[in-house]
Amino acid sequence: MKLSNRLQQIHVQIPEGSRLADIGSDHALLPVAAVRSGNVVSAIAGEVNPGPYEAARKQVSDAGLQEKIAVRRGDGLDVVEPGEVDVITIAGMGGALIASILDRGLSKLEGISLLILQPNVGEDILRRWLLAHNWVVVAEKLLEEDGKIYEIITAMPQANSPIANEEVYKPRLITNDVELTEELLLRMGPYLVDQPTDVFFAKWESEIVKLQGVVQSIMKSDQESAREKAADVEQLIAKLKEVLACLPKVKL
């Protein structure tokens, strides 16, 4: 069994000796790989949909890991009991959905030492949720696979984090007159923006094109509120272009 690069990048961040819950586990590829590697001593593969749930059960059975991996059907963190795990992974969903799963399962986050999250879209929504609930982003990874760009966001409880949120999102100057504000850091990623790779530039150039399409769509309306919204989006586009123009390209 070979993990995709995306799942492998999540896998390598799971500390040795962890008790893992993989939410939206699909075929349980990540829990199986993590147990086989020795990083994880026990795991829960959670899946709400019947097809993937059955696929996960088969994967775990075929691997002979039923004693170490519990495959459970349920919505979000409903599959986890408080104190049962210390690392949670959620990958392949929108940032808003991941945030809602965490929000609804807030009581299950007591004792969790690490969240490893891979939103497909809405990364800023997820960062805002983490910030509001005293979780600190301690690492970010940006990668491209099969023509898609993915972000992996790793967070720790503020009490355990080696860095405070105030430091992570502290506004900073790129040049004498271009500032990375908290809003831009939440949107673009506080670590990603510090080491902007070619993938980073490709992502944000694509995002700008999407935002320009949003402006064109909004401007079809005659309402005053639409014009105000279009002006806000245009202002964001201008800020993003300004930041991209000032950032140094990092060759990896």
Side-chain angles (χ1 to χ4, degrees), residues 136 162-172 185 190-191 194:
V136 182
I163 188 170
N165 268 319
E166 290 78 8
E167 188 65 26
V168 173
Y169 294 111
K170 183 179 180 180
R172 45 201 187 258
L185 292 169
Y191 300 96
D194 279 344

Side-chain angles (χ1 to χ4, degrees), residues 39-68:
N39 275 25
V40 166
V41 296
S42 64
I44 296 166
E47 183 56 62
V48 70
N49 295 311
Y53 167 74
E54 292 298 336
R57 287 185 62 192
K58 183 177 187 305
Q59 183 79 248
V60 171
S61 176
D62 289 350
L65 293 174
Q66 301 96 316
E67 296 299 312
K68 291 193 172 183

